[in-house]
Amino acid sequence: MEADVVVVGAGSAGCALAFRLGEAGLRVIVVEAGGSDRGPLVNMPGALSYPMNMARYDWGYRTEPEPHLGGRRLAAPRGRLIGGSSSINGMIYVRGHPLDYEHWAEQGATGWGWADVAPYFRRLECWHDGGHGGDPARRGREGPLHVTRGARDNPLVRAFVEAGVQAGYGATGDYNGWRQEGFGPFDATIWQGRRWSAASAYLRPALAGGNVALMRGEVARVAIREGRARGVVLADGREIPAAREVVLAASAFNTPKLLMLSGIGPGAQLAGHGIGVVADRPGVGANLQDHLELYVQYAATRPVSLYRYWSLAGKAWVGLRWLLGRAGPGASNQFESAGFIRSRAGVRYPDIQFHFLPLAVRYDGRAAPEGHGFQVHVGPMRSPARGRVRLTSPDPAAPPSILFNYMSTEADWRDFRAAIRLAREVVAQPAFDAFRGAELLPGPAAQSDAALDAAIRAHAESAYHPCGTARMGAADDPLAVVDPQARVIGVAGLRVADSSIFPRITNGNLNAPSIMVGEKVADLILGRPPLPREQDGWWEAPDWETAQREAQAGREGAERAVEPQERRELAQAGRR
């Protein structure tokens, strides 16, 4: 029960942080509310839709009625088990674009620019290109987190990249390397046919090292006395003391909740719940961001999709192959091709991400009734919408109130329409001629702005990338929650290390940046000099100010693919 550092949350960042602190000789206790990550439903990559929909593994949060999505309440899953959300996510590994981190630094997160964070990505990775090319000079080979690529043997997966090139976009052999923009293979946190979560990469080795202990329990609040965090108090009243520091790594939902329960947050709101104010920080719970996406779904004219395994017998065969040899379709998350593009001229770096899946299915596991099909998950990367997380009660057992405020600006609608139209244009390329059937969603009748808006309102779903609710910034920034050392402003001995501290959401999936945060914050706690800065730069389209993509033929195709009103908007933005 004695620890130098208490870490709340055994998720992506918390596991990495605990490993590095224990490796350096500190005594660490990791407190996790959830249970075991053992079992095939968690560890079989192809079963990814199951754990995020199971109360055993998920906190079960839902949003408040989203006013711009017809009042729908969307699922907001977060992992409640060892490994946190890295144990229930889609296993897609995206560092983000270098300019994401340049923006962080510009917003007051000094020391978090691309040159500062790139070496931490290298340190955490054990990257395997799988024979599909890549950028090995920029990737790590000795880190704890295995990053691999799927077999990419499904013809639909290959057709998607070919179609992207035919549409006038470039190919990229490694979107996590020199060049993000373009179409190419996805990286995934899968190793030897099983999910390679933060628990597998970091926590188990840390526990085996002897300096890190895992405690099961739900934290009710941080124990703060005389302006300093002294430990954490569990829901059953026990206090776990921390000799040096407490670090919250409990997710973009639960970290702000715990801060507020501990008296750190918007003073008036805390007082309204009868909570004494320790530090009046209005930024706690604010700045909530996410990626919203829509599945552009098609029927397939040939039986080449994963639907062949969708019967009870087919699923049993997939499961048996995986159980016996960690092989077959169950050994892949099936997201094996990616695309990152810019929505219009004048956008400096990609603001649209494509996830391609050779099956028409929802995250909840419901397949399209038409049978064989495929889909492109698409949505804007940098929505200007901002939401919030608030307390619903001073009772630690009460769930927080979550409102993303999706689609609350005109730019959201403009960019989402463009994303759908550009996705359709990619699928319209010759590479899909042998496979493309009818469009299932949004459907061929959804062509006008109004029709697309209705489809977005009815069908858009979260990509499950919440962040930003304890924003990092300069210590004198009134809306910042933590300083560039990840220290909570106004309370000694307390830090945050998870996606809560992101000033702005990064391009793509958030597991990799969250783990990077754990790695970097560990060095800050240890007082070590930062790793040597990365000086190699990154690729940008040379004509990004005047062109939306590389090939002129592709640009003309895009103009034919959009409606007149959208074309006028794009022309006004300077696109040719």
Side-chain angles (χ1 to χ4, degrees):
M1 294 295 292
E2 293 184 355
D4 298 306
V5 178
V6 173
V7 178
V8 180
S12 299
C15 290
L17 177 76
F19 173 81
R20 295 300 181 191
L21 296 181
E23 182 183 54
L26 295 188
R27 299 168 302 162
V28 181
I29 292 177
V30 181
V31 185
E32 169 57 45
S36 173
D37 62 337
R38 306 288 188 180
L41 292 182
V42 170
N43 288 291
M44 184 184 354
L48 64 91
S49 67
Y50 290 97
M52 69 173 65
N53 292 289
M54 296 175 66
R56 177 179 178 181
Y57 301 125
D58 173 34
W59 283 89
Y61 295 150
R62 301 188 71 82
T63 71
E64 300 292 346
E66 290 287 345
H68 306 285
L69 294 179
R72 287 192 292 138
R73 299 188 69 189
L74 275 62
R78 288 292 86 188
R80 186 186 172 108
L81 74 168
I82 305 305
S85 295
S86 76
S87 291
I88 68 168
N89 68 0
M91 292 155 281
I92 293 170
Y93 181 89
V94 185
R95 288 175 166 186
H97 195 281
L99 285 170
D100 293 329
Y101 302 99
E102 295 298 285
H103 180 269
W104 285 16
E106 291 167 4
Q107 295 299 303
T110 306
W112 291 80
W114 175 247
D116 305 298
V117 303
Y120 286 94
F121 281 115
R122 285 181 187 262
R123 187 169 84 175
L124 69 88
E125 291 176 349
C126 185
W127 182 71
H128 312 261
D129 64 21
H132 297 297
D135 195 356
R138 290 169 173 265
R139 307 301 297 272
R141 296 285 195 173
E142 300 177 356
L145 189 74
H146 288 289
V147 179
T148 63
R149 292 177 170 182
R152 309 190 74 243
D153 53 8
N154 187 292
L156 292 169
V157 168
R158 298 192 300 271
F160 182 67
V161 174
E162 184 181 354
V165 174
Q166 290 172 345
Y169 302 101
T172 177
D174 187 357
Y175 62 80
N176 283 313
W178 167 249
R179 171 176 172 158
Q180 185 188 70
E181 187 166 334
F183 286 70
F186 254 132
D187 282 346
T189 50
I190 297 171
W191 177 235
Q192 297 178 338
R194 65 184 293 268
R195 177 190 294 272
W196 196 250
S197 68
S200 299
Y202 288 100
L203 186 61
R204 289 195 175 86
L207 295 174
N211 288 328
V212 178
L214 177 66
M215 174 174 288
R216 305 292 176 83
E218 191 159 345
V219 174
R221 60 181 173 86
V222 180
I224 301 173
R225 292 185 287 274
E226 299 177 347
R228 183 175 189 87
R230 308 289 180 176
V232 298
V233 178
L234 301 184
D236 61 11
R238 289 178 295 161
E239 181 171 330
I240 304 174
R244 287 182 51 166
E245 299 199 31
V246 172
V247 185
L248 299 182
S251 83
F253 303 145
N254 287 330
T255 286
K257 174 186 169 182
L258 285 173
L259 287 170
M260 288 185 278
L261 288 171
S262 307
I264 305 162
Q269 290 182 35
L270 300 184
H273 288 291
I275 299 171
V277 178
V278 174
D280 188 353
R281 304 304 305 178
V284 174
N287 194 46
L288 176 61
Q289 300 161 64
D290 190 18
H291 291 139
L292 193 68
E293 65 181 11
L294 185 131
Y295 316 147
V296 181
Q297 291 182 329
Y298 292 83
T301 56
R302 295 172 59 187
V304 294
S305 80
L306 297 174
Y307 188 74
R308 74 185 77 171
Y309 307 116
W310 216 249
S311 66
L312 184 61
K315 291 180 179 179
W317 181 84
V318 169
L320 185 63
R321 281 203 68 189
W322 185 84
L323 287 169
L324 294 178
R326 302 294 186 263
S332 170
N333 62 358
Q334 301 302 332
F335 289 105
E336 296 184 349
S337 285
F340 291 89
I341 68 170
R342 293 172 292 112
S343 62
R344 60 187 185 277
V347 175
R348 187 175 175 185
Y349 67 105
D351 61 337
I352 292 174
Q353 180 185 16
F354 298 125
H355 298 73
F356 181 79
L357 186 66
L359 177 68
V361 68
R362 293 168 55 93
Y363 270 137
D364 61 11
R366 287 183 290 171
E370 286 77 4
H372 281 282
F374 57 91
Q375 64 193 35
V376 182
H377 298 213
V378 64
M381 287 291 96
R382 294 188 294 281
S383 166
R386 296 293 182 269
R388 87 306 181 266
V389 173
R390 292 179 181 167
L391 293 180
T392 57
S393 164
D395 180 0
S401 168
I402 301 166
L403 180 70
F404 283 100
N405 207 24
Y406 294 120
M407 305 302 293
S408 56
T409 77
E410 181 52 40
D412 288 313
W413 296 99
R414 176 200 67 198
D415 293 345
F416 219 129
R417 290 180 213 124
I420 294 170
R421 286 169 171 143
L422 291 168
R424 284 169 159 173
E425 184 204 351
V426 170
V427 178
Q429 298 303 311
F432 276 109
D433 285 352
F435 310 110
R436 184 194 325 105
E439 182 179 310
L440 307 177
L441 185 73
Q447 298 297 328
S448 68
D449 285 359
L452 288 180
D453 290 351
I456 294 165
R457 198 172 291 113
H459 298 292
E461 297 286 348
S462 170
Y464 311 142
H465 300 161
C467 64
T469 49
R471 180 172 70 82
M472 178 167 47
D476 59 357
D477 181 344
L479 292 179
V481 178
V482 302
D483 67 13
Q485 302 288 307
R487 299 173 297 202
V488 173
I489 300 167
V491 180
L494 180 61
R495 300 195 204 224
V496 174
D498 60 21
S499 67
S500 302
I501 73 171
F502 293 10
R504 188 173 71 180
I505 197 166
T506 55
N507 256 26
N509 311 65
L510 301 193
N511 187 43
S514 298
I515 294 173
M516 179 276 293
V517 165
E519 288 267 6
K520 188 165 169 57
V521 172
D523 276 3
L524 295 173
I525 291 172
L526 292 168
R528 290 175 171 171
L531 296 178
R533 301 178 81 236
E534 172 72 73
Q535 301 295 342
D536 289 345
W538 57 87
W539 186 89
E540 293 181 22
D543 57 352
W544 66 266
E545 293 178 291
T546 56
Q548 185 258 338
R549 69 189 84 180
E550 294 176 49
Q552 181 63 42
R555 289 200 296 274
E556 292 170 351
E559 290 290 68
R560 289 193 297 272
V562 299
E563 293 292 307
Q565 179 179 340
E566 184 74 359
R567 187 179 299 122
R568 288 194 297 273
E569 293 173 355
L570 295 170
Q572 290 169 2
R575 177 180 172 190
R576 70 185 186 200

